[in-house]
Amino acid sequence: ARAADVPLLIAVNKSDKPEANPMRVRQQLSTMNVQPEEWGGNVQFVDVSALTGAGLDDLAEKISLEAEIMELKANPEHLASGIVIEAKQTPAQGNVISLMVLDGTLGKGDLVLCGSGTGRIRVLLDDHGKQISEAPPGTPVEVLGLPELPSPGDKFFEVKDTKMAKEVASQR
């Protein structure tokens, strides 16, 4: 994250356990130049518990505040783009690719350039496995129909021109 100059917000999980020591996590990360705000640094830390839900409201509030300060905005009217979270091949479904839509709206039937391949989205599934017709910004989805498996971290882009998409894919 530091090398990519990406802002950090750290959620320290398992804070509900009796042996939890969130201060130790802060100390260990401070040795890697990750200074908590409460120590004069610029990284927000939030103690949370996934089991009890403690601190999750505070985490959501801090994420929202960071997004507002950084003026992060997505436009649902743009062509869709985002990042590959996971890609796998299953006997029943073929290539199943988990994507996070970061900008624009991704729809069933859209042509996408993803990794070194292109293809049309045949099936679009939400995070509960239900079919949807479109996914606005900030939506995690699974897609079926792409002929090649991309790598996690690859970017995807909705494209309108098939010829151009195939040309870019072949160069990759």
Side-chain angles (χ1 to χ4, degrees), residues 31-89:
T31 64
M32 294 184 235
N33 295 325
V34 177
Q35 296 296 323
E37 276 186 338
E38 60 258 31
W39 294 358
N42 62 351
V43 179
Q44 294 187 59
F45 280 73
V46 183
D47 297 331
V48 299
S49 169
L51 186 64
T52 66
L56 294 180
D57 289 339
D58 191 27
L59 177 62
E61 184 179 310
K62 288 190 178 197
I63 291 171
S64 181
L65 180 63
E66 281 293 314
E68 193 172 316
I69 289 170
M70 295 170 55
E71 296 181 4
L72 300 177
K73 294 182 174 103
N75 184 347
E77 304 302 319
H78 284 169
L79 294 176
S81 64
I83 192 161
V84 175
I85 299 169
E86 180 184 23
K88 60 187 175 193
Q89 196 169 40

Side-chain angles (χ1 to χ4, degrees), residues 82-87 97-100 114-115 150-156:
I83 192 161
V84 175
I85 299 169
E86 180 184 23
I97 303 163
S98 299
L99 305 173
M100 174 60 80
C114 187
S151 299
D154 282 353
K155 295 186 175 169
F156 79 87

Side-chain angles (χ1 to χ4, degrees), residues 11-22 47-51 54:
V12 181
N13 195 14
K14 300 190 185 288
S15 63
D16 60 322
K17 291 196 168 239
E19 67 273 9
N21 188 354
D47 297 331
V48 299
S49 169
L51 186 64

Side-chain angles (χ1 to χ4, degrees), residues 1-168:
R2 288 285 184 218
D5 197 28
V6 177
L8 293 174
L9 188 147
I10 298 177
V12 181
N13 195 14
K14 300 190 185 288
S15 63
D16 60 322
K17 291 196 168 239
E19 67 273 9
N21 188 354
M23 198 56 66
R24 184 169 176 237
V25 173
R26 287 167 174 76
Q27 289 169 342
Q28 288 174 335
L29 286 172
S30 71
T31 64
M32 294 184 235
N33 295 325
V34 177
Q35 296 296 323
E37 276 186 338
E38 60 258 31
W39 294 358
N42 62 351
V43 179
Q44 294 187 59
F45 280 73
V46 183
D47 297 331
V48 299
S49 169
L51 186 64
T52 66
L56 294 180
D57 289 339
D58 191 27
L59 177 62
E61 184 179 310
K62 288 190 178 197
I63 291 171
S64 181
L65 180 63
E66 281 293 314
E68 193 172 316
I69 289 170
M70 295 170 55
E71 296 181 4
L72 300 177
K73 294 182 174 103
N75 184 347
E77 304 302 319
H78 284 169
L79 294 176
S81 64
I83 192 161
V84 175
I85 299 169
E86 180 184 23
K88 60 187 175 193
Q89 196 169 40
T90 65
Q93 297 173 308
N95 292 342
V96 179
I97 303 163
S98 299
L99 305 173
M100 174 60 80
V101 180
L102 299 177
D103 198 18
T105 300
L106 184 65
K108 183 178 174 183
D110 287 349
L111 177 65
V112 294
L113 171 63
C114 187
S116 61
T118 62
R120 291 214 178 267
I121 307 276
R122 304 221 187 290
V123 177
L124 196 59
L125 304 170
D126 68 6
D127 55 340
H128 300 290
K130 295 183 181 173
Q131 283 198 30
I132 55 175
S133 60
E134 59 182 26
T139 306
V141 293
E142 282 191 337
V143 299
L144 307 176
L146 299 182
E148 294 186 33
L149 280 177
S151 299
D154 282 353
K155 295 186 175 169
F156 79 87
F157 302 94
E158 178 186 357
V159 292
K160 293 295 181 193
D161 184 1
T162 308
K163 182 180 176 187
M164 186 269 307
K166 288 183 180 180
E167 188 176 309
V168 170

